[in-house]
Each structure stands twice: as C-alpha cells, then as structure tokens.
C-alpha cells in the first residue's frame, strides 16, 4: 500500500482528468496523483482518432466558453497530443499508467481508499473522470466468432482497398467514413434513423460532399438484423431485406456508462442509470467528484471537459 495521503486523486487521464491535474497545480495543490488504466494519456483520442483527424473544441456546434486556465482551439490529433504533452511537462504531472481502478471506498477516517489491481492509494478527494468510449457499445445481435477479426470498433486494423461498412450516426461514424474513403477504401455508412441528428454541421456537409463526389454510400433508416460469415468476409442482412458482403465492419455506436463501477464507489444512480451529483460535480459521497462525459449533457465536448476540471478544483481549493 502507498501510505501517502494525496490531497486529490484523479481517476483517468483523458481531457477532464488532465484538466483537473493542471488546474490543481495552478492552484498550488501539488500533492496529487493521476491513475490511468492504459499506457498513455488521452487513450480515447489515440485509439479512436485517426492520425491527422480534426479534434474539435466544441461538440455539435454547441459553443462553450472556456473558463479555466487551459486554452484550446480546434486542432489535429497530433497537435492536440503534443500540446497537452507540453502542459504535463510544464506542470510536472506524471500519471501512473497501467493502473486500472477497481473500487473506491471511503473509510471511517473519511479518507478514500482507491484500489487498483495491484495497489491501494489514499486520498482526501477523488475525481472520477473515466469516459464512455473506453467501453464501446456493441450490437445486440451475435457477431460470429470466425469474423470477429474483421469486426472492429476503431480504425486500428484498417488498410486500403477494402469494402467497409461503418455503422453509426454520430461524429465518429461520419469521420471514420470519409477518412476511410481518403485511404482508398469503398465505404458504406449505415444508420438506423431516417436522418442524422447527432453530428455537427461540418461533418454532415462533408458526408454530403463525399456522397456526391467520392462514392460514399449512405444507408439511412436501415438497421442490421444479423451478420453471417462468408469465407473471409461478412454478409450483412439489413432490415430492408437487402444483404451485402463487406471486407470489414466498423462500429461507432458510442459507449456505455460504467454504472456498476459507480455503484461500487457508493455513488447514487437515478432512474435513467446516470450518476447523481450537485452543481460542484460532487456526488452524494462527500469529496468524490465526477467530471467529463459522466457529468456532461454534451458528451465529447473538450471545452466542457476543461471547464469541469476548473470548477471542481476551484471548489476543492476554496473548501
């Protein structure tokens, strides 16, 4: 057990987690620790954003003023990672990587015991900043074992000259679709709703342009009923009674709230399976806070995630 009692322990090194850490340092709260389950910060951006992909400050044109000390503008994936890497170095923040947290308990002395797979840490305040994309949603229908290697939830395994089906109606699905076309692939984008309602105007305009000029096939109002292995490919059966064979499937259908983990931490959950917290992002467990997608109405907004970090640290420092 690490016997040091940290003033603030942050779970997750995504945008909101790093924001909390930097804002704490600026408030001269140096005794902090960031735990991250992956081997680097911004794991979601590294995995789900293709190299060169634009990283938007806001989400779905929902403009939010940044109120904290971290300024950020629309950038590319590479420039975003470099920008925050420099901030981490400037403020001497060194997350402890490969440290997945399993539970958080507040003991009789009002100190939090934070358990990873290998260690226990102690802290006066804990901020949970884990996102949802780290645990992507999966379809209800069965994915046959023999095709699982060509059914993906990011672009890591994609090559060139493939016939690819992208499933989803959000910004990630749109950006996957047109970036795959740029990589010389044939792409179909399937969304079960009759119109796009979750993507920003920029991405919607790009999709229309790629559909008009670059051969993007968009299937709206069309759900998938089942998947069937077809030698080294996959035969997709749609709800409109059509079937098509693809080299690869990419799912971009969002992530799920880690409800069980939050419950194990003693956090109250409402009837909609969302965590309950106050205006300071503090849960019913005093000293235990939520930031990022877990506390946002507009998931994916970097501006909102940065603001969460500022507000929480400002509140803790005053208290």
């Amino acid at each position: 057990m690490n016997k040091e009692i940290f003033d603030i322990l942050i779970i997750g090194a995504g945008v909101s987690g790093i924001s909390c850490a930097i804002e704490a340092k600026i408030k001269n709260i140096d005794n902090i620790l960031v735990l991250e389950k992956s081997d680097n910060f911004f794991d979601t951006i590294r995995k789900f954003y293709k190299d060169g992909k634009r990283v938007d400050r806001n989400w779905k044109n929902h403009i939010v003023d940044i109120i904290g000390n971290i300024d950020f503008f629309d950038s590319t994936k590479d420039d975003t990672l470099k920008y925050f890497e420099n901030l981490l170095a400037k403020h001497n923040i060194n997350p402890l990587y490969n440290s997945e947290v399993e539970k958080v308990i507040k003991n009789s002395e009002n100190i939090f015991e934070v358990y990873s797979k290998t260690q226990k840490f102690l802290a006066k305040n804990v901020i949970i900043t884990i996102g949802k994309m780290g645990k992507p949603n999966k379809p209800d229908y069965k994915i046959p074992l023999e095709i699982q290697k060509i059914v993906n939830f990011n672009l890591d395994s994609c090559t060139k000259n493939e016939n690819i089906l992208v499933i989803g109606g959000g910004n990630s699905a749109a950006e996957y679709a047109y970036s795959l076309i740029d990589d010389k692939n044939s792409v179909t984008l399937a969304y079960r709703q009759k119109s796009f309602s979750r993507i920003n105007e920029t991405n919607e305009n790009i999709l229309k342009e790629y559909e008009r000029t670059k051969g993007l096939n968009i299937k709206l109002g069309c759900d998938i009923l089942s998947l069937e292995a077809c030698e080294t490919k996959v035969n997709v059966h749609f709800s409109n009674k059509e079937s098509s064979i693809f080299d690869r499937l990419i799912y971009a259908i969002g992530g799920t709230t880690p409800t069980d983990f939050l419950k194990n931490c003693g956090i109250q959950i409402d009837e909609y399976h969302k965590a309950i917290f106050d205006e300071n992002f503090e849960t019913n467990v005093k000293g235990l806070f939520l930031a990022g997608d877990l506390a946002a109405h507009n998931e994916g907004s970097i501006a909102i995630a940065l603001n969460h970090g500022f507000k929480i640290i400002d509140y803790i420092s005053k208290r």
Side-chain angles (χ1 to χ4, degrees):
M1 181 185 76
N2 188 319
K3 295 183 179 181
E4 180 179 6
I5 300 178
F6 295 96
D7 289 322
I8 300 174
L9 187 147
I10 300 161
I11 303 173
V15 175
S16 53
I18 296 302
S19 172
C20 288
I22 293 172
E23 296 289 357
K25 289 282 188 170
I26 291 173
K27 288 285 188 180
N28 295 316
I29 305 174
D30 292 319
N31 186 26
I32 67 171
L33 176 65
V34 181
L35 299 179
E36 165 58 39
K37 70 176 182 179
S38 71
D39 59 4
N40 216 327
F41 71 96
F42 285 15
D43 184 58
T44 295
I45 290 179
R46 294 177 190 275
K47 284 185 176 179
F48 293 93
Y49 282 63
K50 188 178 178 62
D51 290 345
K53 175 182 174 180
R54 187 180 67 255
V55 179
D56 293 330
R57 175 182 180 276
N58 294 292
W59 183 83
K60 202 178 179 180
N61 288 339
H62 183 75
I63 308 302
V64 175
D65 291 331
I66 294 178
I67 61 176
N69 294 288
I70 303 172
D71 206 4
F72 182 77
F73 297 92
D74 293 351
S75 184
T76 64
K77 170 186 174 180
D78 298 336
D79 288 343
T80 297
L81 294 176
K82 187 65 177 177
Y83 174 66
F84 279 93
E85 182 180 346
N86 290 338
L87 285 177
L88 289 173
K90 175 183 177 181
H91 295 284
N92 193 28
I93 298 169
N94 299 292
L96 186 58
Y97 297 116
N98 300 306
S99 298
E100 183 173 3
V101 173
E102 296 183 329
K103 61 181 178 179
V104 178
I105 298 173
K106 194 172 188 181
N107 65 27
S108 59
E109 298 177 350
N110 287 324
I111 297 296
F112 288 100
E113 300 176 359
V114 181
Y115 293 84
S116 71
K117 292 183 180 296
T118 59
Q119 296 187 66
K120 181 173 80 171
F121 303 90
L122 303 176
K124 298 176 183 177
N125 298 278
V126 172
I127 308 172
I128 301 175
T129 73
I130 57 178
K132 298 181 180 181
M133 283 302 293
K135 185 181 180 183
N137 282 328
K138 296 185 178 181
D140 295 332
Y141 46 84
K142 182 180 178 181
I143 301 177
L145 180 63
E146 55 267 43
I147 62 170
Q148 288 185 3
K149 286 186 178 181
I150 57 172
V151 175
N152 310 126
F153 296 86
N154 54 47
L155 301 183
D156 288 353
S157 301
C158 297
T159 57
K160 297 181 184 296
N161 301 311
E162 290 187 316
N163 182 20
I164 300 175
L165 175 66
V166 177
I167 304 102
N171 286 308
S172 291
E175 291 161 4
Y176 285 175
Y178 61 72
S179 64
L180 286 167
I181 286 183
D182 289 341
D183 280 346
K184 313 301 182 185
N185 293 289
S186 174
V187 179
T188 298
L189 174 61
Y191 183 42
R192 58 189 177 86
Q193 302 294 344
K194 293 182 179 180
S195 63
F196 292 110
S197 59
R198 295 168 44 222
I199 63 176
N200 60 44
E201 184 178 357
T202 300
N203 277 331
E204 187 164 11
N205 289 337
I206 294 174
L207 285 182
K208 290 178 180 177
E209 178 65 16
Y210 273 58
E211 183 181 30
R212 186 177 67 86
T213 64
K214 297 192 176 184
L216 173 63
N217 179 27
I218 298 179
K219 296 173 71 71
L220 295 176
C222 189
D223 210 353
I224 295 175
L225 297 181
S226 63
L227 306 179
E228 178 186 4
C230 184
E231 296 182 352
T232 60
K233 302 184 179 184
V234 54
N235 191 10
V236 180
H237 302 286
F238 294 98
S239 56
N240 62 358
K241 298 183 180 180
E242 292 181 358
S243 295
S244 299
I245 295 176
F246 297 93
D247 297 312
R248 187 178 305 278
L249 268 59
I250 307 291
Y251 284 93
I253 52 179
T256 56
T257 301
T259 305
D260 290 340
F261 172 74
L262 298 180
K263 287 181 177 179
N264 288 337
C265 295
I267 297 173
Q268 292 180 352
I269 306 296
D270 66 16
E271 59 185 306
Y272 303 103
H273 306 289
K274 294 187 177 182
I276 298 172
F277 52 89
D278 64 16
E279 67 275 9
N280 298 307
F281 305 99
E282 189 172 27
T283 68
N284 57 291
V285 183
K286 190 174 179 63
L288 184 55
F289 300 82
L290 300 179
D293 285 354
L294 294 179
H297 297 295
N298 294 293
E299 299 167 8
S301 170
I302 289 179
I304 290 176
L306 294 175
N307 286 349
H308 285 176
F310 174 79
K311 290 178 180 179
I312 292 172
I313 297 302
D314 186 59
Y315 175 71
I316 291 175
S317 66
K318 290 176 178 177
R319 186 168 70 181

